[in-house]
Amino acid sequence: MREGVRRLLGARARLRWIHLILGGALLMPYFLLAQVGVGMAAGGVNALSSFPLTLAAYAAALPLAAATAVYGLVRPLSVTAVRAMCAVRGEGLAEGPARSWAARGRTSAWWTLHLGVGALVSGMTLAVPPMAVALIALPFVRALRDFDLGLGWFSTRADPYLAPLLGIGLLTALALCAAGAGALLARLAPVLLGPTAADRLAAAEERAADLAVRNRLARELHDAVGHALSAVTLQAVAAQRVLERDPGFVREALAAIEDTARRTVGELDAVLGLLRDGDPARPDAAPAPTLAADLDGLLARTRAAGAPVTAHQDPGPPGDWARLPAIASREAYRIVQEGLSNALRHGAGPVDLRIRVQPGHDTGPRHLEITMTNAPASPEDREPRTTGGRGLRGCAERAALLGGSVEAGPHGDRWRLRAVLPLGGGDR
């Protein structure tokens, strides 16, 4: 019994009832326009004075409502109302305006159904309660029996002993009709307002674009901040060990820490600027580091952290890297940075770094090859891994963006990182 009452008069049923009454209110402009046309067609009479003409005006209003629903903005308005008032799960409804004609046709069907059924429920809601109250009060208010509504048993001419039962029956029927109509619309909403194949494709593309931006930001933060923290930590540890006996080294380590922190703050500011939607890039934000401009500094900071690095560069001096495509130079710098960071944390002994441009041939375009090898540290000296290998995955993603590849793993008795970045795309 309680469950039945909840289904008829609970919060969800009441909201759906209000949603139907809203549909009836939205039909009123169409209905008033249609009743003028029906009245003129019937010889200039008032269509509201005749029940058949009123029904004809109602029937004529529905095609008018259907025609206006082909406009794209009707769907988001309907979806918002359905989510708020019909207890329909959001993933079952489409986002944004209807663009295809198939989606507009479904929206038009929904709009017509909502307004048409809502008008009937609204009319019943206005007419039934007063009649039901009159019937319930009939045995107790003798003056009501003097009014003849001309509706037979459903009027003040009903038997006074049966009238209250008829009144309660009318209210129950009204609640049943409203609950049934609300449940019907809630069931049909995902069918008529649900996403089309084009909507699903657009949503998937939007999610993919958002995920790509998130992955890019994660890579930048990991490479810039992670490397800087590793370098600063090792520089501080090395300075602490020789604090008393080698003040000169300590000064160099502190200068390297200051330089690393300053550069990282600039890079972090540039990355965080990407998170501010619509915020243009600051003119003083640090530019993305590249091989041409920043490789020497990266090697110097790594050496200051206590890791000897031997660099072999081809085509020659670092300035020659300025001829590389800008995007390849940026991604190559980050790959080298991540490789050196891993060498600092998990390696031992000198690091051998080789960067060279390989000429194109029949099997592929000209490409940049980065090879980095060093001996792995012993288990007791190796820094515990806490990032789950995200750095190497980030390197692989950077290379894949350019159509290249990254390999990392044991190579004989050493650990090797090898990256190949095609250079056929030009400057970007």
Side-chain angles (χ1 to χ4, degrees):
M1 180 67 178
R2 182 179 300 177
E3 178 65 19
V5 173
R6 186 187 66 81
R7 288 179 177 273
L8 289 179
L9 300 175
R12 183 171 66 178
R14 292 197 304 270
L15 279 176
R16 288 177 175 176
W17 199 337
I18 295 172
H19 180 250
L20 288 166
I21 293 175
L22 177 62
L26 290 173
L27 186 69
M28 284 305 297
Y30 305 102
F31 176 75
L32 293 176
L33 180 61
Q35 66 93 16
V36 172
V38 169
M40 293 177 61
V45 300
N46 183 0
L48 298 180
S49 63
S50 168
F51 185 68
L53 291 180
T54 300
L55 289 180
Y58 167 78
L62 297 180
L64 295 177
T68 59
V70 298
Y71 291 99
L73 292 178
V74 172
R75 187 172 72 174
L77 294 175
S78 299
V79 166
T80 301
V82 168
R83 283 177 175 162
M85 308 178 77
C86 292
V88 177
R89 290 183 298 179
E91 60 268 20
L93 303 173
E95 298 286 349
R99 294 181 174 86
S100 68
W101 283 107
R104 293 182 181 185
R106 290 162 55 188
T107 303
S108 179
W110 164 264
W111 184 253
T112 307
L113 181 66
H114 178 206
L115 271 59
V117 175
L120 296 178
V121 173
S122 297
M124 294 171 60
T125 303
L126 290 174
V128 169
M131 174 59 68
V133 170
L135 290 172
I136 294 172
L138 190 61
F140 313 103
V141 182
R142 186 176 183 85
L144 289 175
R145 303 176 191 177
D146 297 331
F147 294 94
D148 185 5
L149 300 181
L151 296 177
W153 280 95
F154 291 97
S155 72
T156 53
R157 296 298 182 184
D159 189 320
Y161 298 101
L162 295 178
L165 296 179
L166 291 175
I168 294 173
L170 284 175
L171 291 177
T172 303
L174 174 61
L176 285 171
C177 289
L184 174 65
L185 290 185
R187 184 177 294 273
L188 291 178
V191 177
L192 299 177
L193 296 177
T196 62
D199 293 326
R200 293 190 181 93
L201 179 60
E205 291 176 347
E206 184 177 352
R207 287 194 296 269
D210 180 67
L211 182 60
V213 172
R214 289 174 180 269
N215 286 339
R216 176 190 172 195
L217 293 174
R219 287 196 304 268
E220 295 294 335
L221 287 172
H222 177 276
D223 292 350
V225 179
H227 172 80
L229 291 177
S230 296
V232 166
T233 300
L234 292 174
Q235 289 161 349
V237 169
Q240 185 179 20
R241 288 176 178 173
V242 298
L243 182 61
E244 300 295 337
R245 64 177 184 272
D246 194 349
F249 179 82
V250 173
R251 284 193 294 272
E252 291 179 4
L254 291 176
I257 289 174
E258 178 186 6
D259 179 64
T260 301
R262 183 180 293 110
R263 291 178 56 85
T264 304
V265 167
E267 291 186 34
L268 181 61
D269 187 46
V271 174
L272 292 179
L274 298 175
L275 293 173
R276 304 185 187 100
D277 291 337
D279 187 17
R282 286 177 45 180
D284 58 341
T290 62
L291 284 182
D294 302 281
L295 179 60
D296 278 352
L298 176 63
L299 296 176
R301 292 190 296 275
T302 304
R303 291 171 180 137
V309 181
T310 302
H312 306 276
Q313 303 178 43
D314 178 22
D320 290 349
W321 297 124
R323 296 198 298 267
L324 292 177
I327 189 172
S329 185
R330 290 193 299 267
E331 302 303 333
Y333 175 89
R334 290 301 192 192
I335 292 173
V336 172
Q337 184 184 50
E338 177 59 27
L340 293 175
S341 180
N342 281 340
L344 287 172
R345 288 181 294 186
H346 310 298
V351 179
D352 183 74
L353 172 65
R354 299 178 182 273
I355 308 175
R356 56 184 176 177
V357 175
Q358 298 283 27
H361 47 77
D362 293 341
T363 59
R366 189 170 67 104
H367 60 272
L368 180 68
E369 184 179 29
I370 302 169
T371 307
M372 189 182 308
T373 58
N374 71 310
S378 60
E380 58 272 13
D381 295 332
R382 188 177 305 164
E383 180 181 324
R385 186 176 295 277
T386 59
T387 62
R390 284 193 292 269
L392 292 177
R393 287 201 300 271
C395 291
E397 290 171 357
R398 291 180 182 278
L401 288 175
L402 302 177
S405 61
V406 169
E407 302 171 359
H411 188 70
D413 60 347
R414 299 174 69 82
W415 180 272
R416 185 181 74 165
L417 171 69
R418 180 174 180 269
V420 177
L421 306 179
L423 302 176
D427 194 357
R428 292 190 228 179

